[in-house]
Amino acid sequence: MTDNDTRVRPNLARDTGNVLSRELKPVLRDPFTLIFSLLQPLIFLGLFAPLLIGDSGRPAGETLNWFVPGVLVMIVLFGTGSTGSNLQYEMMTGSHQRTLVAPLARSSLLIGRALKEIAPIVVQALVIVLIAWPFGFTVDVPGLLIGLALLAVFGVGLGSLSYSLALATKDREWLFWGVQQSLIFPLLILSGMLLPLDAAPGWMRVVASFNPVNWVVQGERALFAGDLGDATVMWGWLSALAVAVVGLAVGVRAIRRSS
């Protein structure tokens, strides 16, 4: 038997599973990182939500039903949007270059990393829902499950785009964070995540209509309210799937060309 016969050949499904397992191990060993990443959304929930409640004059539960879905999308936006920094660190330390010579399908290196983002998203979302529940927040259970799936698909797409940015900027960490911050905050503001866009200028509402984050936020609100057939749910899924397809396509191409 020759060396070629015994060599392990790349297999996308198997290799993706191996990469996913490798990426999840640090999260399982150190779950404190998940808890710490909840600090920002909890601050918004604890300090921003009361301002909305006081300003609207509506019951706390009604305001939380509007606000919490946006906070969950914010977790995905900030959490997965920064994951490329981990890959950038691996590139600077040489760890990424060693994985490139392993007998793995290169596509699996990105797909496995992107799928890893699903677990933190689900855990963090459930924690936020449980924290908000005693204060009057209510949620439709089937809508919650579909909403979590929507967040997961959206997170895979954003995570893939973040990894693509890391591959493009390589060891220029300042450039990665500069581009990331320049994109995330306009997407956040133009999504109606924290404040309604009903009273926004016309040009802002037009721009927001092309923002996929806006449709994901609206879709989540409809799902959590139990309006599963609402048109915004369809637009939310189309937006999340578009981000996932584009993110994976761009990321896979970038990692195949990386060296």
Side-chain angles (χ1 to χ4, degrees), residues 154-228:
F154 189 50
V156 167
L158 285 178
S160 300
L161 290 172
S162 182
Y163 290 126
S164 303
L165 178 59
L167 289 167
T169 55
K170 295 185 178 179
D171 58 347
R172 291 169 292 181
E173 187 177 11
W174 62 270
L175 183 57
F176 172 86
W177 287 112
V179 174
Q180 191 254 13
Q181 295 294 307
S182 298
L183 292 175
I184 276 189
F185 283 100
L187 290 173
L188 183 150
I189 295 170
L190 293 171
S191 68
M193 189 182 297
L194 301 176
L195 290 171
L197 293 173
D198 299 339
W203 66 265
M204 186 176 286
R205 293 197 301 272
V206 170
V207 174
S209 67
F210 293 95
N211 180 9
V213 185
N214 174 39
W215 292 111
V216 173
V217 170
Q218 292 193 45
E220 289 290 332
R221 285 174 178 151
L223 286 169
F224 278 39
D227 299 328
L228 307 188

Side-chain angles (χ1 to χ4, degrees), residues 35-225:
I35 299 173
F36 183 76
S37 62
L38 284 169
L39 181 60
Q40 184 183 56
L42 285 176
I43 290 175
F44 275 93
L45 192 61
L47 299 180
F48 203 89
L51 295 176
L52 291 176
I53 294 170
D55 182 63
S56 65
R58 298 172 182 172
E62 185 178 338
T63 302
L64 287 174
N65 290 345
W66 181 90
F67 188 64
V68 170
V71 171
L72 300 187
V73 179
M74 183 175 68
I75 290 175
V76 178
L77 188 64
F78 280 94
T80 61
S82 62
T83 51
S85 62
N86 299 329
L87 177 57
Q88 197 170 46
Y89 176 77
E90 291 184 10
M91 289 190 288
M92 289 189 289
T93 58
S95 173
H96 177 66
Q97 284 70 19
R98 289 192 291 273
T99 62
L100 291 177
V101 299
L104 295 170
R106 283 206 172 184
S107 302
S108 68
L109 296 174
L110 180 123
I111 297 173
R113 283 186 172 104
L115 292 175
K116 183 267 294 184
E117 304 307 324
I118 293 177
I121 287 171
V122 172
V123 172
Q124 292 169 340
L126 290 175
V127 170
I128 290 293
V129 168
L130 289 174
I131 290 174
W133 178 62
F135 298 95
F137 174 70
T138 57
V139 62
D140 179 74
V141 175
L144 172 63
L145 297 177
I146 299 172
L148 291 176
L150 176 58
L151 290 175
V153 172
F154 189 50
V156 167
L158 285 178
S160 300
L161 290 172
S162 182
Y163 290 126
S164 303
L165 178 59
L167 289 167
T169 55
K170 295 185 178 179
D171 58 347
R172 291 169 292 181
E173 187 177 11
W174 62 270
L175 183 57
F176 172 86
W177 287 112
V179 174
Q180 191 254 13
Q181 295 294 307
S182 298
L183 292 175
I184 276 189
F185 283 100
L187 290 173
L188 183 150
I189 295 170
L190 293 171
S191 68
M193 189 182 297
L194 301 176
L195 290 171
L197 293 173
D198 299 339
W203 66 265
M204 186 176 286
R205 293 197 301 272
V206 170
V207 174
S209 67
F210 293 95
N211 180 9
V213 185
N214 174 39
W215 292 111
V216 173
V217 170
Q218 292 193 45
E220 289 290 332
R221 285 174 178 151
L223 286 169
F224 278 39

